[in-house]
């Protein structure tokens, strides 16, 4: 599959210690009108609590021509919010989009967390990947640290 150059590097940034993206970045990256993405977010069938935790409404000043600007609504969304939103997108471009964003969120989280402690008996599994394929897996033991490489 050939990816459009913008699909190779989705925009994910760190805000308050979390990897996030914006509704505008999703619209630009996916080739959708921003107002349609905003409408999709407003009409998500998720709980009010989930929406509040994963979608932060903000306003951004945008240029509308001749040096004039206006405020435009924009959402900052967490990884969970992003996944909830884009799982409804379909088609080949959507599939490439989802894969690229998943990879970018994972890369950003690895940079943020480095090593993570796992406590108690867990059903967490350590996957070892090579060329984006799982080559081994094993349960993570109590209080084991997994070091990002």
């Amino acid at each position: 599959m050939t990816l459009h150059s913008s699909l190779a590097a989705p925009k994910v940034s760190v805000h308050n210690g979390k990897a996030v993206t914006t509704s505008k970045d999703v619209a630009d990256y996916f080739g959708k009108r921003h107002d349609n993405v905003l409408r999709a977010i407003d009409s998500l069938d998720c709980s009010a609590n989930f929406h509040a935790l994963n979608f932060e409404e903000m306003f951004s000043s945008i240029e509308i021509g001749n040096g004039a600007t206006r405020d435009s609504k924009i959402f900052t969304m967490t990884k969970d919010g992003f996944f909830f939103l884009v799982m409804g997108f379909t088609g080949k471009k959507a599939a490439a989009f989802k894969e690229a964003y998943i990879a970018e969120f994972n890369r950003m989280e690895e940079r943020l967390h480095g090593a993570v402690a796992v406590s108690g008996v867990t059903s967490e599994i350590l996957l070892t990947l090579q060329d984006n394929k799982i080559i081994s897996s094993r349960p993570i033991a109590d209080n084991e640290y997994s070091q990002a490489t």
Side-chain angles (χ1 to χ4, degrees):
M1 176 186 311
T2 303
L3 297 179
H4 183 275
S5 63
S6 68
L7 290 176
K11 293 181 183 176
V12 177
S13 60
V14 177
H15 180 71
N16 293 332
K18 289 185 176 184
V20 297
T21 191
T22 69
S23 55
K24 179 72 172 120
D25 290 335
V26 169
D28 291 346
Y29 186 74
F30 197 66
K32 290 184 170 282
R33 289 180 30 169
H34 187 235
D35 62 324
N36 290 337
V37 173
L38 292 175
R39 190 175 305 108
I41 292 169
D42 286 335
S43 65
L44 287 173
D45 195 18
C46 61
S47 70
N49 187 53
F50 182 90
H51 197 281
L53 291 173
N54 295 289
F55 296 94
E56 181 182 356
E57 185 177 318
M58 303 168 63
F59 289 88
S60 176
S61 181
I62 61 170
E63 188 173 330
I64 57 173
N66 296 330
T69 62
R70 70 171 174 84
D71 283 340
S72 175
K73 182 166 89 169
I74 190 168
F75 281 97
T76 297
M77 67 188 83
T78 65
K79 179 173 74 170
D80 291 345
F82 163 78
F83 285 126
F84 199 95
L85 172 65
V86 300
M87 288 305 139
F89 295 176
T90 60
K92 288 183 180 183
K93 191 170 183 181
F97 175 72
K98 292 172 195 178
E99 287 180 23
Y101 260 86
I102 289 167
E104 183 62 14
F105 269 111
N106 289 338
R107 185 193 67 77
M108 184 64 70
E109 285 182 336
E110 284 176 13
R111 285 185 52 207
L112 281 173
H113 299 295
V116 272
V118 179
S119 61
V121 177
T122 180
S123 60
E124 300 286 327
I125 296 175
L126 177 66
L127 300 176
T128 304
L129 303 174
Q130 184 175 12
D131 298 323
N132 291 326
K133 294 182 181 172
I134 298 172
I135 60 171
S136 69
S137 65
R138 68 173 176 79
I140 298 175
D142 187 29
N143 295 323
E144 182 176 358
Y145 288 84
S146 175
Q147 184 70 34
T149 56

